[in-house]
Amino acid sequence: MSIVTPWEVEGSIDYDKLIQEFGTKRISPALRERLMKETHEKNVMLERDYFFSHRDLDLVLDDYAKGKGFFLYTGRAPSGPMHIGHLIPLVFTKWLQDRFKVNLYVQLPDEEKFLHKREYTWKGVQGYAEENIRDIAAVGFDPDRTFVFKNSEYASNVYPLLMQTAKKVTFSTAKAVFGFTNETNIGMIQYPAYQMVPTFFEKKRCLIPAAIDQDPYWRIQRDIAEGLGFHKTAAIHSKFIPPLQGVHGKMSASVADTAIWLNDGELAVRKKIMKYAFSGGRETVEEHRKLGGNPDVDVSFQWLKMLFEPDEQRLKKIEGEYRSGQMLTGELKQILVDKLNAFLATHRERREKADVEKFMYEGKLAQKMWETTYEA
Ligand code: TYM
């Protein structure tokens, strides 16, 4: 049994079943090849099936080939510091932007977090947003093609478009898709309209890279977009980076020790992986040497496989040695610790240097949004 909604991911996730339930499509080997061919570069997140599902990605590539172009949109709700799972869709988005040279909008729905849980205060969320924006800026997007905005700050610019969107979605649809009840506050009930709005920022097809938990918004968007004179949005969905404690569910911001945070120091990363990362190893060293470990349930191996060991041969070697018992759990964990610390050190350095203003400046891109807003 598993639950996957924009606010909750639990249990053992059957990704094939999710594709069926959500009505998305698996990225076929041919489509994956086409995307990598178009970009002239292989991508480990595609090759390893971490980005595994889509909506209309083929049409996005058709539009691109015909010279119509497309644009990118993604987001982050400021619920606290960011963990590795939050950064990965952004890293993939940057890859797409670098290759296709397209515009990107990054939404920070501060009001979503404020409305979602009693314990979030308005002021607290603003602080998280400020911190998160630095992490986003550190990813290295093209400043001339990227606009990062906080929902509360940008609201007056999108208000007409937001209302046009909200008018098209009934409470019964929102209830069915998001599980809202009579106890849900009415701010939250309107929120989904704002998450759809950036898909209407340009009169081109929008492509959204995110984990599959965000897909319910896109399902509604696709029902109403054409009626508003826009394209149905396209999406490319990733799996979840599993929590340290096991291969089920997702690394979660609400359970601190399930995650590696972007502000975790080297020692914290080591301690956490050594203490919490669920291991496929045996009880004793002797048993492990004799019977071997199980990389399929080992979280450190799964993280290496999903993203952190891009070298295919090295990954195969690690897998073989662990399965045969030649490599011990502590050794496997150390490989991941080194990879993570190198990744985080680079991120920290970029974060220090990041020029946030460049991305939030309401320049050319924002102007375009205004125009679409009032045309619709
Ligand atoms: P949020 O802040 O929960 O998550 C931000 C992004 O990170 C992805 N994600 C993960 N990916 C892999 N492994 C995980 N363990 C993991 N946990 C989270 C999410 O899918 C998301 O892409 N409502 C949104 C914010 C938002 C948004 C958007 C997201 C506004 N507009 C457009 C994507 C696209 C939210 O709460 O995301």
Side-chain angles (χ1 to χ4, degrees):
M1 239 305 266
S2 68
I3 304 171
V4 177
T5 76
W7 301 287
E8 193 181 9
V9 176
E10 252 179 35
S12 131
I13 301 161
D14 179 338
Y15 286 104
D16 284 321
K17 218 164 133 206
L18 268 189
I19 286 180
Q20 268 187 2
E21 267 172 35
F22 284 12
T24 67
K25 286 197 183 135
R26 179 164 272 288
I27 300 176
S28 68
L31 185 57
R32 182 179 308 130
E33 279 314 307
R34 185 177 169 202
L35 178 55
M36 291 195 292
K37 205 168 149 206
E38 202 75 69
T39 57
H40 306 290
E41 195 180 66
K42 291 191 175 278
N43 180 293
V44 72
M45 298 188 221
L46 283 168
E47 282 191 317
R48 302 256 175 91
D49 211 29
Y50 178 66
F51 275 85
F52 73 109
S53 151
H54 76 104
R55 291 184 185 272
D56 288 351
L57 177 61
D58 44 343
L59 299 187
V60 170
L61 295 180
D62 289 351
D63 281 358
Y64 183 74
K66 286 182 203 146
K68 289 188 191 166
F70 67 94
F71 68 100
L72 291 163
Y73 158 48
T74 194
R76 152 72 185 153
S79 57
M82 282 166 66
H83 60 55
I84 295 253
H86 299 132
L87 196 70
I88 297 306
L90 294 165
V91 171
F92 186 71
T93 304
K94 173 180 156 52
W95 181 77
L96 289 171
Q97 186 185 47
D98 284 350
R99 299 297 162 282
F100 289 102
K101 309 267 180 266
V102 290
N103 290 344
L104 161 67
Y105 302 94
V106 184
Q107 177 177 53
L108 275 101
D110 48 342
E111 87 286 29
E112 178 195 3
K113 277 301 128 180
F114 169 72
L115 293 164
H116 178 47
K117 279 193 184 154
R118 192 184 289 264
E119 57 265 34
Y120 288 118
T121 62
W122 187 261
K123 209 169 153 208
V125 170
Q126 301 311 311
Y128 295 144
E130 219 169 280
E131 287 300 307
N132 291 180
I133 287 166
R134 286 207 77 77
D135 284 310
I136 294 167
V139 175
F141 297 115
D142 176 348
D144 294 329
R145 294 193 171 96
T146 305
F147 182 58
V148 180
F149 65 99
K150 208 165 60 172
N151 276 4
S152 61
E153 259 175 23
Y154 208 58
S156 62
N157 296 336
V158 303
Y159 204 71
L161 192 52
L162 175 58
M163 289 303 109
Q164 282 163 34
T165 307
K167 197 174 172 182
K168 292 273 182 199
V169 185
T170 64
F171 183 38
S172 94
T173 299
K175 269 200 289 197
V177 174
F178 298 105
F180 294 149
T181 66
N182 283 351
E183 278 61 54
T184 307
N185 70 63
I186 59 174
M188 205 57 202
I189 294 166
Q190 189 191 276
Y191 170 70
Y194 206 162
Q195 184 153 334
M196 291 175 228
V197 158
T199 65
F200 305 137
F201 278 173
E202 295 186 26
K203 291 258 170 145
K204 292 178 183 172
R205 210 178 296 277
C206 171
L207 174 65
I208 307 168
I212 196 160
D213 60 335
Q214 301 299 313
D215 187 73
Y217 296 98
W218 323 142
R219 217 181 307 158
I220 303 182
Q221 191 275 1
R222 290 168 58 84
D223 285 341
I224 65 171
E226 288 175 351
L228 287 168
F230 295 96
H231 285 288
K232 290 183 180 188
T233 190
I236 180 160
H237 308 109
S238 78
K239 297 175 182 171
F240 304 105
I241 302 195
L244 287 174
Q245 284 77 356
V247 286
H248 300 318
K250 71 163 184 176
M251 193 196 282
S252 167
S254 44
V255 195
D257 283 337
T258 63
I260 295 293
W261 301 88
L262 300 183
N263 56 7
D264 276 343
E266 288 194 2
L267 215 61
V269 169
R270 183 164 199 283
K271 267 194 185 154
K272 242 191 256 185
I273 299 290
M274 292 299 171
K275 183 166 174 192
Y276 295 113
F278 185 81
S279 149
R282 304 281 172 174
E283 292 280 310
T284 63
V285 172
E286 292 76 56
E287 235 184 279
H288 188 91
R289 294 270 189 232
K290 207 163 95 196
L291 301 169
N294 180 2
D296 305 328
V297 298
D298 189 284
V299 167
S300 306
F301 183 76
Q302 290 305 316
W303 282 25
L304 288 171
K305 187 175 162 188
M306 272 178 166
L307 313 158
F308 292 104
E309 180 46 272
D311 186 312
E312 200 62 41
Q313 280 190 339
R314 241 180 287 160
L315 188 77
K316 284 253 147 44
K317 189 162 177 276
I318 295 170
E319 182 172 9
E321 289 183 4
Y322 193 61
R323 227 183 257 290
S324 73
Q326 192 186 337
M327 180 181 283
L328 297 175
T329 295
E331 293 166 328
L332 174 59
K333 286 188 171 191
Q334 189 59 49
I335 297 174
L336 179 65
V337 168
D338 292 342
K339 291 275 175 193
L340 283 172
N341 278 333
F343 178 86
L344 291 176
T346 310
H347 179 74
R348 266 193 300 269
E349 214 173 283
R350 291 197 187 138
R351 195 179 192 280
E352 284 295 304
K353 291 191 206 135
D355 182 354
V356 168
E357 294 306 313
K358 265 196 316 204
F359 296 98
M360 302 196 78
Y361 165 67
E362 293 180 25
K364 263 209 226 121
L365 290 186
Q367 187 59 40
K368 226 181 248 171
M369 283 185 246
W370 270 91
E371 284 161 16
T372 347
T373 302
Y374 289 105
E375 249 175 53

